[in-house]
Amino acid sequence: MLSHHDRTELAKIERSLELSDPDLATALREGRCRKPRALRTALLVALDIAAVTLLVVGLVLPDPGVTLCGIIAFTGTVWTHVAGHRL
């Protein structure tokens, strides 16, 4: 069990966190993690580039399997972008 002094100090830290970063305080209170946006955005851009490249290569080559993979990859990236905006 915490002492009165420790509880007081923790309350001060909590109030300071509420004022400085309310989103983080809410996330900590609710037990959910904030997602790193920069890493997620970089990963989505890399997947977009890979999917478009695969689709273009599939259209240039006479191989329907590569084209199908490009279409599936492109569909997946579009779905990921749409799902990401809802979070």
Side-chain angles (χ1 to χ4, degrees), residues 4-77:
H4 176 69
H5 174 69
D6 291 340
R7 285 193 302 264
T8 304
E9 290 299 313
L10 284 174
K12 286 180 189 177
I13 293 170
E14 184 180 350
R15 282 192 299 273
S16 172
L17 182 61
E18 271 292 332
L19 293 174
S20 66
D21 195 353
D23 292 336
L24 176 61
T26 302
L28 291 173
R29 192 177 318 108
E30 293 176 359
R32 58 182 171 82
C33 297
R34 292 190 336 184
K35 296 179 179 133
R37 296 285 181 195
L39 178 62
R40 184 177 189 281
T41 302
L43 183 61
L44 283 177
V45 169
L47 288 174
D48 291 342
I49 292 170
V52 169
T53 303
L54 189 60
L55 185 60
V56 169
V57 168
L59 292 174
V60 170
L61 295 177
D63 186 7
V66 177
T67 306
L68 180 63
C69 288
I71 291 170
I72 291 170
F74 190 71
T75 303
T77 59

